Amino acid sequence: MADEDDLDDLLDELDSQGDLETSQQVLSIRTESRRYDKPVTIIEGFDLTKSEIESTASDLKSSLGTGGTVDEGRIELQGDHRDRVPDLLRDRGFDVRE
């Protein structure tokens, strides 16, 4: 039984270290105008695997009700979401520079 407790403690410690890494990543958010003057919100500065960035992008897209993509390690969301994205990213443990 003690082995299971030790394993749980180790897993908890690894989880907390993962959160620390996320909070150390400073993300920047900006917008660009694309075709037909449509705004695109771009989030950069991730130091995550592609699948983790895609998962974060998926969460943001559903929360915002918008489309988007992951391109070259950054998330691109359709529309100007600079007002809502920082709070959503902070809720997920990221540090956001505005």
Side-chain angles (χ1 to χ4, degrees):
M1 203 64 179
D3 288 339
E4 283 182 37
D5 289 340
D6 291 342
L7 181 59
D8 287 341
D9 290 344
L10 180 60
L11 290 173
D12 288 343
E13 186 178 328
L14 289 172
D15 280 346
S16 68
Q17 288 175 352
D19 291 344
L20 181 64
E21 287 176 17
T22 299
S23 67
Q24 289 173 340
Q25 297 177 47
V26 180
L27 305 180
S28 63
I29 300 170
R30 62 187 169 90
T31 60
E32 282 183 6
S33 286
R34 296 281 171 94
R35 193 181 316 187
Y36 309 115
D37 278 337
K38 297 281 186 187
V40 175
T41 303
I42 299 172
I43 307 158
E44 299 174 300
F46 291 100
D47 185 22
L48 300 171
T49 65
K50 183 172 175 144
S51 64
E52 290 172 316
I53 295 172
E54 287 171 349
S55 172
T56 302
S58 180
D59 289 348
L60 290 173
K61 289 188 298 185
S62 358
S63 296
L64 296 167
T66 190
T69 187
V70 174
D71 185 33
E72 296 178 15
R74 64 186 186 197
I75 297 174
E76 299 181 4
L77 300 170
Q78 297 171 358
D80 184 349
H81 300 287
R82 287 176 294 180
D83 54 341
R84 293 182 56 205
V85 166
D87 291 335
L88 293 171
L89 289 169
R90 286 187 189 107
D91 289 347
R92 288 163 177 76
F94 293 100
D95 184 12
V96 179
R97 179 177 9 137
E98 292 188 64

